[in-house]
């Protein structure tokens, strides 16, 4: 078994790793295999990265021949014993299960169940459209961040190279394999700033202000929108934006902006207990039975869910799950709900903080 070690000086991740893990007890992991299935393929290299102060210490364990796989696995497990968090790229689906199954071949307990896995790919996958990425490969994400790696090979390319290396021990082939794994491990630290995007969406934000704005739609009609400006703790590395229908999200640095169309007109509030209400067709509204005793029976009828409402005129904002009460709709079975943009709500920053988070989650689901 061969071992290679490097120290990358003055590494700046641009991301507060301490927000998601203890940096002193975290390793970055990338494995290289001879195929995709642990049933008929093996591990020929394990790359490990550890941040110490501002330096990244990289250690590579390389099976000089396939029979050294066990030594590679045991050496890794010995090294990783003192760490509690493993950061990978697609490791939850590939690296970790592959390592567990190959360790089992030798009757080795990898002890991975005691460790926390942070899979950068898994955390970023829901944001692919927002980031305007054609695919979710590690190299594509590095390009998104403007990172240029020296290595130009893929893991698939290296499978054949390793096979040829074991037959001739060509040092140039070894160099190619070590370089690829080195850049993958280094790349894990460089991708950390991307974790700011899920932190913004799932973490606390501070609504700075909410203002109305008039604009002309495609048909030249004057419309009104609400713009919510907010800040968040961890800055995103690259400005992004996206939306659907009348909702739009923009993130840049540690500031964000949400735009959502305001509906101005009449909405219906539907009472939940229709059996206790009468519907008055002449007035197009429902009233409680206790108040309808003086209404002529010919001018009232038992309310059903679709007619058990009262109309309210005003300005409304859409919501796709109950965030602000009471909720209004155009019609009973309409999925989109609304809440009234009342004077009380306009002066409540907590409402806009919750609403901003709701809009961000909804936009990401729709993208």
């Amino acid at each position: 078994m061969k071992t290679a070690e490097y120290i990358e000086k003055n590494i700046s991740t641009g991301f507060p790793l301490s927000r998601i893990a203890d940096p002193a007890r975290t390793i970055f992991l990338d494995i290289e295999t001879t195929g995709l299935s642990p049933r008929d393929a093996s591990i020929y290299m394990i790359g490990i990265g550890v941040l110490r102060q501002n330096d990244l210490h990289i250690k590579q364990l390389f099976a000089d021949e396939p029979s050294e796989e066990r030594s590679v696995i045991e050496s890794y497990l010995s090294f990783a014993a003192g760490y509690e968090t493993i950061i990978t790229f697609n490791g939850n689906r590939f690296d970790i299960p592959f390592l567990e199954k190959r360790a089992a071949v030798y009757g080795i307990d990898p002890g991975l169940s005691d460790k926390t896995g942070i899979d950068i790919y898994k955390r970023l996958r829901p944001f692919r459209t927002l980031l305007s990425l054609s695919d979710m490969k590690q190299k594509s994400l590095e390009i998104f961040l403007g990172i240029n790696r020296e290595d130009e090979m893929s893991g698939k390319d290296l499978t054949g190279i390793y096979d040829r290396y074991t037959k001739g021990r060509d040092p140039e082939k070894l160099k190619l394999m070590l370089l690829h794994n080195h850049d993958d491990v280094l790349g894990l630290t460089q991708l950390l700033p991307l974790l700011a995007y899920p932190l913004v969406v799932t973490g606390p934000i501070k609504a700075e202000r909410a203002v109305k704005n008039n604009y002309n739609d495609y048909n030249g009609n004057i419309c009104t929108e609400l713009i919510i400006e907010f800040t968040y703790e961890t800055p995103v590395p690259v400005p992004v934006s996206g939306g659907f229908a009348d909702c739009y999200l923009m993130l840049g640095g540690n500031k964000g902006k949400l735009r959502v169309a305001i509906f101005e007109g009449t909405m219906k509030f539907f009472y939940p207990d229709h059996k206790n209400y009468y519907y008055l067709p002449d007035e197009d509204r429902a009233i409680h039975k206790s108040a309808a005793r003086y209404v002529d029976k010919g001018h009232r009828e038992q309310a059903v869910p679709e007619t058990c409402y009262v109309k309210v005129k005003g300005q409304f904002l859409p919501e796709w799950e109950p965030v602000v009460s009471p909720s209004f709709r155009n019609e009973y079975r309409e999925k989109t709900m609304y809440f009234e943009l009342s004077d009380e709500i306009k002066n409540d920053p907590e409402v806009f903080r919750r609403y901003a988070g709701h809009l961000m989650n909804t936009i990401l689901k729709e993208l």
Side-chain angles (χ1 to χ4, degrees), residues 2-263:
K2 284 184 169 63
T3 301
E5 298 191 39
Y6 308 87
I7 299 178
E8 297 291 340
K9 293 286 188 179
N10 300 316
I11 293 295
S12 176
T13 64
F15 178 83
L17 180 57
S18 58
R19 287 202 62 186
I20 59 173
D22 179 355
R25 303 195 64 188
T26 298
I27 62 174
F28 299 86
L29 170 69
D30 182 68
I31 70 172
E32 307 297 340
T33 68
T34 60
L36 298 178
S37 172
R39 291 191 300 271
D40 49 27
S42 62
I43 297 171
Y44 69 85
M45 179 156 44
I46 298 179
I48 312 161
V50 177
L51 284 169
R52 295 173 183 161
Q53 300 300 326
N54 295 324
D55 300 336
L56 176 65
H57 293 248
I58 297 177
K59 185 172 186 176
Q60 295 172 294
L61 309 170
F62 180 79
D64 207 40
E65 55 185 56
S67 63
E68 295 179 343
E69 179 189 31
R70 177 173 188 151
S71 296
V72 168
I73 294 173
E74 289 178 333
S75 294
Y76 163 72
L77 294 176
S78 175
F79 182 94
Y83 295 88
E84 63 182 21
T85 302
I86 304 173
I87 296 180
T88 62
F89 188 85
N90 200 30
N92 284 7
R93 291 201 311 173
F94 183 74
D95 299 67
I96 301 302
F98 202 107
L99 184 55
E100 287 179 323
K101 290 175 182 177
R102 292 309 299 171
V105 170
Y106 304 105
I108 301 171
D109 178 9
L112 294 174
S113 59
D114 298 331
K115 301 186 186 299
T116 300
I118 296 178
D119 186 336
I120 295 177
Y121 170 88
K122 184 177 180 180
R123 294 200 177 193
L124 292 178
R125 183 65 182 83
F127 302 89
R128 174 177 172 176
T129 304
L130 181 64
L131 302 180
S132 299
L133 294 169
S134 58
D135 61 64
M136 288 291 294
K137 296 177 182 177
Q138 181 171 341
K139 287 184 179 181
S140 298
L141 291 171
E142 291 172 2
I143 292 172
F144 174 79
L145 290 174
I147 299 168
N148 295 312
R149 61 158 64 194
E150 184 179 348
D151 161 62
E152 296 181 354
M153 308 294 289
S154 69
K156 185 177 180 180
D157 295 332
L158 294 179
T159 300
I161 291 177
Y162 178 69
D163 182 60
R164 293 194 294 274
Y165 168 80
T166 58
K167 297 173 182 176
R169 301 296 189 275
D170 182 349
E172 288 303 313
K173 290 182 173 59
L174 176 61
K175 182 179 178 181
L176 285 174
M177 291 183 286
L178 291 173
L179 176 62
H180 174 80
N181 181 258
H182 169 278
D183 283 6
D184 272 354
V185 175
L186 175 60
L188 289 174
T189 67
Q190 296 171 320
L191 292 182
L192 286 177
L194 292 172
L195 297 181
Y197 296 106
L199 282 180
V200 170
V201 174
T202 61
I205 61 174
K206 181 181 179 182
E208 297 290 343
R209 69 172 187 155
V211 297
K212 292 181 182 179
N213 177 59
N214 292 328
Y215 67 97
N216 293 321
D217 65 12
Y218 292 113
N219 298 318
N221 301 314
I222 298 177
C223 303
T224 305
E225 65 182 357
L226 180 73
I227 298 177
I228 303 174
E229 297 177 355
F230 58 93
T231 59
Y232 39 87
E233 185 177 350
T234 306
V236 298
V238 178
V240 295
S241 61
F244 73 98
D246 296 321
C247 299
Y248 202 74
L249 168 67
M250 292 165 280
L251 300 175
N254 66 342
K255 295 181 179 180
K257 186 181 293 187
L258 282 156
R259 298 168 55 188
V260 57
I262 296 174
F263 173 79

